[in-house]
Amino acid sequence: MEQECDGDIVYMQQEDDWDRDLLLDPAWEKQQRKTFTAWCNSHLRKAGTQIENIEEDFRDGLKLMLLLEVISGERLAKPERGKMRVHKISNVNKALDFIASKGVKLVSIGAEEIVDGNAKMTLGMIWTIILRFAIQDISVEETSAKEGLLLWCQRKTAPYKNVNIQNFHISWKDGLGFCALIHRHRPELIDYGKLRKDDPMTNLNTAFDVAEKYLDIPKMLDAEDIVGTARPDEKAIMTYVSSFYHAFSGAQKAETAANRICKVLAVNQENEQLMEDYEKLASDLLEWIRRTIPWLENRLPENTMQAMQQKLEDFRDYRRLHKPPKVQEKCQLEINFNTLQTKLRLSNRPAFMPSEGRMVSDINNAWGNLEGAEKGYEEWLLNEIRRLERLDHLAEKFRQKAAIHEAWTDGKEEMLQKRDYETASLSEIKALLKKHEAFESDLAAHQDRVEQIAAIAQELNELDYYDSPSVNARCQQICDQWDALGAMTQKRSEALQKTEKLLETIDQLYLEFAKRAAPFNNWMEGAMEDLQDTFIVHTIEEIQGLSTAHEQFKATLPEADKERQAILGIHNEIAKIVQTYHVNIAGTNPYTTINPQEVNAKWDKVRQLVPQRDQALIEEHARQQNNERLRKQFANQANVIGPWIQTKMEEIGRISIEMHGTLEDQLTHLRQYEKSIVNYKPKIDQLEGDHQLIQEALIFDNKHTKYTMEHIRVGWEQLLTTIARTINEIENQILTRDAKGISQEQLNEFRASFNHFDRKRTGIMDAEDFKTCLISMGYNLVKP
């Protein structure tokens, strides 16, 4: 454990730097926590203790120092027993100084981070300890540390065909690597034959449980974490695997050197023979390929069909007789090479490197060139035969198709150069377009024939037809004429489409003019009708409503004028197109009878009627203002007179009911009321005068008062009648009293009873009420 060398120190520094940032991966951090914790506890239990949380339990430095003492067998400086931060930092520094004394350079790891519980730094420190005390001293065949451990794993698992250990991450995911290590050293613990590569959970749990139960290797990883991670953490796997190495290292040393030497010598002799066989077989095969390829690359054509058929027959003999044995040799060569390399790998010997130019890849490249030459030669033979067969047939086919096409093109150029569209109407243009579309379809249908003619000419050239110059000349003439027809077709199509577009534009403008002129014309006619319409209003609100509506109408005039100008602009656009492009149009707008002159005439009429309507509304507004003044003048007086009459009526009623004083006193009081009422007559007369003015102005309603003149008149007459009747009643009571000798008290009693039974307060009772009143005063009425 005390061995220290510069090579191992450099390796540990590189290993630490290689994976430092990957500690941040959550899945890897979880694996490292479990693995490092189990590894630490596997040593701390020797001192009767353990840790639960790797970044918390090492913060005071005590268990960290104890761990180093257990794994090194040495005593560290006496720890500080205080619980202050300074004591913890001191203890951690003592541990870090001890690690450094073992030749380990701690990169970016300080005591403060460990004391603060920095998980990343704590895991990094434990990994450094694992590297130094559990992995650095591993040495297998001149390799040490990580490479030595990997080589040990490869050698131990080599006999297991479904195990391929290449690294310390994904090579262990299926669990077979762990199971193979256990089975290699303790075959009685695992039935390896029953394990399946596609069941990694079972494999991993089997290996971990067996290692913990029988090999005293604590369970450092969870099968779920390994299976559920795309790439398990390399540090966790290395730590776990190192425990297997230390558990089995004694068995490894027990292998006898004599058996190993004998086995190696025998294997080496067999391998040397395989190497010699490979070299000879490869040389022979490459030589045969070298001689064969020039024959296959000979492309000198024959002039006769018989000679070309003989060449084809020779090639078929080659494929049927000469090549198959060489295919077998190539296959056997690859089998021998793979077998040799496997034996060398199993013997932990360097891979076989054939002499220059005789590598498997060299043979494969040469073989590929051979097959490429074969393919080219066969294609050339068949093409030559087909060329000779088809030459005459193609030449005749070319002449037939060329004649048919030339007959079809006769007269087509003259037709395409006509300018009949310049004087055509829109309907005639559309007919010409349909006719031209039919010609274009016909032209497109002949495209295949032209392409066939060109293809035949091209094929005749490729087949070296003797009369290719004349074929090419005729083909070129057909192609040139075809291009000319295409250009003229396109030009005529563009001319027809342009003319159609211009006529359609004019037609659309006609239609747009009609669509916009019709509603605008209707609007102007409606506006003229409204502006000349007579109106009858009775209130200031009604005339204000008419004025507001008129102002709103006037506000629309600018927008209406824009619409008028837009409509006229459409007409001007038509004229511009006709003048610019010399378009032939006949007649007038087919969609409307409205013309620009009519639109302007009606617009001028609307403009004339607007100020006339303004004046009429102003005059009516003044009249309604005067009417409103008369209404308010009448209402102001009526709203005073009406309540006054009502109040006087109520006061007279109270005088006749309350019976204060003698009848003479009541009579005096009533006559004073009568005088005051008579004196109010001038106000009634004045109100009559205001009413007369309202009637003359033809005012029929007044929202400022609930009283009409008729109401005032009726109320005034009722007031005069009531006061006169009441005075008469008092006078009659005085006469009755004096004639009958009735006392004032009796009268009061009669009056009180009467008032009591006069429930309606009208001064009149019906028969039943009167009978009840008499009974109340002591009269016994007997029916006759």
Side-chain angles (χ1 to χ4, degrees):
M1 296 296 292
E2 294 300 320
Q3 179 184 355
E4 297 174 7
C5 65
D6 294 341
D8 288 336
I9 294 174
V10 171
Y11 158 71
M12 291 171 66
Q13 292 174 356
Q14 292 173 345
E15 179 66 28
D16 187 68
D17 291 339
W18 176 81
D19 210 7
R20 179 176 300 278
D21 292 337
L22 298 182
L23 281 174
L24 297 176
D25 183 277
W28 290 2
E29 184 175 339
K30 178 181 177 181
Q31 294 172 17
Q32 288 185 16
R33 283 176 182 273
K34 181 175 181 63
T35 304
F36 291 179
T37 300
W39 185 87
C40 292
N41 287 335
S42 69
H43 295 284
L44 287 174
R45 68 185 179 186
K46 299 174 184 177
T49 186
Q50 66 177 11
I51 61 171
E52 298 294 334
N53 188 314
I54 196 165
E55 68 260 33
E56 290 294 329
D57 295 348
F58 285 138
R59 291 179 63 181
D60 60 5
L62 296 177
K63 288 187 178 181
L64 179 60
M65 295 178 68
L66 181 60
L67 174 66
L68 291 172
E69 288 181 345
V70 170
I71 62 179
S72 68
E74 300 179 25
R75 298 289 296 178
L76 274 70
K78 185 177 181 181
E80 300 286 342
R81 292 297 176 181
K83 295 184 179 181
M84 297 178 65
R85 178 178 172 83
V86 64
H87 298 136
K88 297 178 181 180
I89 291 176
S90 176
N91 289 336
V92 174
N93 274 325
K94 289 177 182 178
L96 296 179
D97 290 340
F98 178 80
I99 295 171
S101 70
K102 297 303 178 181
V104 178
K105 181 179 180 181
L106 298 171
V107 181
S108 302
I109 299 177
E112 289 79 8
E113 288 86 359
I114 307 302
V115 173
D116 291 336
N118 187 307
K120 176 182 176 181
M121 293 301 178
T122 303
L123 293 174
M125 176 189 68
I126 298 302
W127 172 241
T128 301
I129 294 172
I130 293 171
L131 277 175
R132 173 58 184 84
F133 294 101
I135 298 176
Q136 176 181 321
D137 293 334
I138 295 174
S139 178
V140 177
E141 292 189 7
E142 299 181 358
T143 62
S144 61
K146 177 181 177 182
E147 288 77 13
L149 182 60
L150 182 61
L151 180 58
W152 178 79
C153 294
Q154 291 172 337
R155 290 187 59 188
K156 293 300 179 183
T157 61
Y160 300 85
K161 63 180 180 180
N162 53 357
V163 178
N164 184 17
I165 304 300
Q166 298 296 329
N167 49 58
F168 285 109
H169 37 83
I170 60 175
S171 294
W172 303 86
K173 282 194 67 173
D174 58 11
L176 293 177
F178 291 105
C179 292
L181 286 178
I182 297 173
H183 186 268
R184 177 68 181 272
H185 296 90
R186 299 284 301 276
E188 76 279 8
L189 297 180
I190 292 180
D191 188 355
Y192 190 87
K194 293 184 178 181
L195 299 178
R196 295 187 295 111
K197 190 174 183 66
D198 60 353
D199 189 10
M201 291 292 294
T202 299
N203 301 339
L204 290 167
N205 284 322
T206 299
F208 297 168
D209 293 340
V210 169
E212 188 172 44
K213 185 175 181 180
Y214 298 102
L215 304 178
D216 198 27
I217 299 174
K219 188 175 182 180
M220 298 184 183
L221 288 170
D222 289 327
E224 294 82 1
D225 293 339
I226 296 178
V227 174
T229 306
R231 182 178 184 271
D233 178 62
E234 186 178 48
K235 297 177 180 178
I237 298 294
M238 284 181 65
T239 302
Y240 207 174
V241 172
S242 70
S243 298
F244 284 83
Y245 171 85
H246 291 296
F248 295 134
S249 60
Q252 181 181 6
K253 296 175 182 178
E255 295 177 6
T256 61
N259 291 336
R260 182 185 302 173
I261 292 172
C262 292
K263 183 177 180 180
V264 168
L265 287 174
V267 169
N268 285 345
Q269 290 176 354
E270 182 180 355
N271 292 343
E272 288 293 336
Q273 184 60 46
L274 287 174
M275 292 178 189
E276 292 179 5
D277 293 344
Y278 174 86
E279 290 284 345
K280 184 178 186 307
L281 192 58
S283 298
D284 294 344
L285 184 59
L286 288 171
E287 177 61 23
W288 178 81
I289 293 172
R290 185 187 65 78
R291 295 195 311 269
T292 304
I293 288 179
W295 172 68
L296 293 171
E297 290 179 342
N298 181 11
R299 300 292 191 273
L300 291 176
E302 300 292 340
N303 294 326
T304 66
M305 180 66 70
Q306 184 179 2
M308 290 304 300
Q309 288 288 358
Q310 184 58 49
K311 280 183 176 289
L312 181 60
E313 189 62 30
D314 293 343
F315 177 72
R316 287 172 178 168
D317 288 343
Y318 156 79
R319 296 286 293 272
R320 186 171 56 251
L321 302 175
H322 303 296
K323 185 179 178 183
K326 300 302 179 182
V327 174
Q328 289 297 112
E329 291 179 12
K330 176 178 180 296
C331 181
Q332 188 62 45
L333 183 71
E334 292 175 353
I335 292 173
N336 293 348
F337 180 81
N338 291 333
T339 302
L340 175 60
Q341 297 292 41
T342 301
K343 289 184 176 182
L344 290 173
R345 179 173 66 83
L346 293 177
S347 301
N348 292 318
R349 303 299 299 167
F352 168 58
M353 183 65 66
S355 57
E356 185 177 357
R358 293 183 178 84
M359 298 285 292
V360 172
S361 59
D362 297 327
I363 295 171
N364 286 333
N365 289 336
W367 192 264
N369 294 334
L370 175 71
E371 291 186 335
E374 285 180 13
K375 182 180 179 182
Y377 188 67
E378 183 177 25
E379 290 176 353
W380 174 77
L381 286 174
L382 295 176
N383 287 337
E384 279 296 305
I385 292 172
R386 283 194 292 267
R387 182 179 69 84
L388 294 172
E389 288 178 342
R390 297 187 62 189
L391 277 176
D392 291 338
H393 171 73
L394 286 175
E396 181 59 27
K397 188 176 181 179
F398 174 82
R399 287 189 289 270
Q400 290 177 356
K401 289 186 176 293
I404 293 172
H405 177 75
E406 289 165 350
W408 178 83
T409 58
D410 185 40
K412 296 295 188 293
E413 293 184 6
E414 292 78 3
M415 181 270 292
L416 292 172
Q417 291 175 343
K418 289 182 180 179
R419 304 178 67 87
D420 46 355
Y421 52 83
E422 292 182 346
T423 57
S425 63
L426 180 58
S427 59
E428 292 170 341
I429 283 293
K430 290 186 179 295
L432 289 174
L433 270 169
K434 289 187 179 298
K435 182 179 179 182
H436 189 69
E437 288 174 3
F439 171 75
E440 286 181 323
S441 298
D442 191 18
L443 185 70
H446 283 76
Q447 174 74 27
D448 288 342
R449 179 177 288 114
V450 175
E451 291 177 354
Q452 290 172 7
I453 291 171
I456 294 171
Q458 177 66 24
E459 193 169 359
L460 287 171
N461 280 279
E462 292 172 356
L463 295 175
D464 294 332
Y465 181 56
Y466 73 95
D467 198 20
S468 290
S470 65
V471 170
N472 292 338
R474 190 172 184 181
C475 179
Q476 187 63 46
Q477 182 179 0
I478 290 173
C479 291
D480 291 343
Q481 185 187 32
W482 182 256
D483 292 340
L485 287 176
M488 286 187 285
T489 299
Q490 180 65 23
K491 184 177 179 181
R492 180 173 175 83
S493 177
E494 291 173 355
L496 288 171
Q497 291 173 3
K498 179 181 178 183
T499 304
E500 180 193 34
K501 186 175 180 181
L502 288 172
L503 294 179
E504 284 182 342
T505 300
I506 293 173
D507 189 69
Q508 288 295 322
L509 290 173
Y510 272 146
L511 181 59
E512 184 179 359
F513 179 89
K515 286 182 177 180
R516 296 177 69 170
F520 186 69
N521 183 66
N522 291 337
W523 176 85
M524 288 192 297
E525 289 178 350
M528 289 189 292
E529 183 179 346
D530 293 340
L531 290 170
Q532 297 177 90
D533 186 28
T534 58
F535 52 83
I536 300 175
V537 296
H538 300 97
T539 65
I540 188 70
E541 289 80 10
E542 290 179 354
I543 190 61
Q544 287 175 344
L546 289 175
S547 298
T548 299
H550 184 62
E551 290 302 320
Q552 291 174 349
F553 168 75
K554 291 198 295 184
T556 64
L557 289 177
E559 192 66 28
D561 190 35
K562 288 182 181 179
E563 178 65 10
R564 179 185 66 88
Q565 293 176 5
I567 293 170
L568 296 178
I570 295 172
H571 180 78
N572 294 336
E573 183 67 19
I574 294 173
K576 183 178 179 181
I577 292 173
V578 170
Q579 182 179 2
T580 302
Y581 297 101
H582 305 290
V583 180
N584 179 26
I585 59 173
T588 58
N589 192 329
Y591 302 110
T592 182
T593 58
I594 302 171
N595 56 58
Q597 293 77 17
E598 185 179 352
V599 171
N600 284 331
K602 289 183 178 180
W603 176 255
D604 292 340
K605 180 63 176 177
V606 171
R607 300 290 293 176
Q608 291 174 5
L609 292 174
V610 168
Q612 296 176 13
R613 184 73 168 183
D614 288 338
Q615 185 61 34
L617 290 173
I618 290 171
E619 291 173 357
E620 181 61 27
H621 189 271
R623 188 174 73 83
Q624 289 300 328
Q625 282 183 324
N626 184 62
N627 289 352
E628 187 68 9
R629 181 184 60 77
L630 292 175
R631 288 190 184 94
K632 291 181 179 179
Q633 182 176 319
F634 175 84
N636 290 337
Q637 296 183 70
N639 288 339
V640 173
I641 294 174
W644 182 85
I645 292 174
Q646 183 65 32
T647 300
K648 292 304 178 183
M649 289 287 288
E650 293 172 356
E651 289 176 354
I652 293 170
R654 285 198 300 275
I655 292 172
S656 63
I657 292 172
E658 292 173 355
M659 298 178 301
H660 293 301
T662 64
L663 292 174
E664 285 78 3
D665 293 339
Q666 294 178 27
L667 183 60
T668 302
H669 194 191
L670 287 170
R671 283 176 175 164
Q672 290 176 353
Y673 257 86
E674 183 181 27
K675 184 178 180 180
S676 66
I677 289 170
V678 172
N679 290 337
Y680 202 78
K681 183 64 168 59
K683 293 187 177 180
I684 301 298
D685 296 337
Q686 182 180 354
L687 188 62
E688 284 285 3
D690 292 340
H691 179 65
Q692 179 66 29
L693 295 174
I694 285 177
Q695 287 184 321
E696 293 174 356
L698 300 177
I699 300 173
F700 303 105
D701 59 342
N702 191 342
K703 67 179 180 180
H704 302 296
T705 182
K706 66 181 180 178
Y707 299 102
T708 65
M709 194 65 228
E710 186 62 29
H711 293 156
I712 297 297
R713 290 190 190 116
V714 171
W716 176 254
E717 290 173 0
Q718 287 179 348
L719 180 60
L720 292 178
T721 302
T722 300
I723 191 63
R725 186 179 67 244
T726 303
I727 290 173
N728 180 256
E729 287 177 0
I730 297 298
E731 288 174 343
N732 288 337
Q733 290 176 20
I734 292 172
L735 291 175
T736 303
R737 179 197 66 184
D738 292 344
K740 300 297 182 177
I742 300 173
S743 66
Q744 184 67 40
E745 290 75 10
Q746 288 176 318
L747 283 172
N748 289 342
E749 182 182 355
F750 294 157
R751 175 60 63 82
S753 295
F754 184 88
N755 290 338
H756 176 74
F757 288 99
D758 182 14
R759 294 180 177 88
K760 298 179 181 179
R761 296 295 184 264
T762 62
I764 301 173
M765 288 189 290
D766 56 26
E768 289 298 323
D769 288 340
F770 184 64
K771 178 180 177 181
T772 304
C773 179
L774 291 176
I775 292 172
S776 70
M777 290 188 292
Y779 295 96
N780 187 10
L781 301 178
V782 181
K783 291 184 179 180

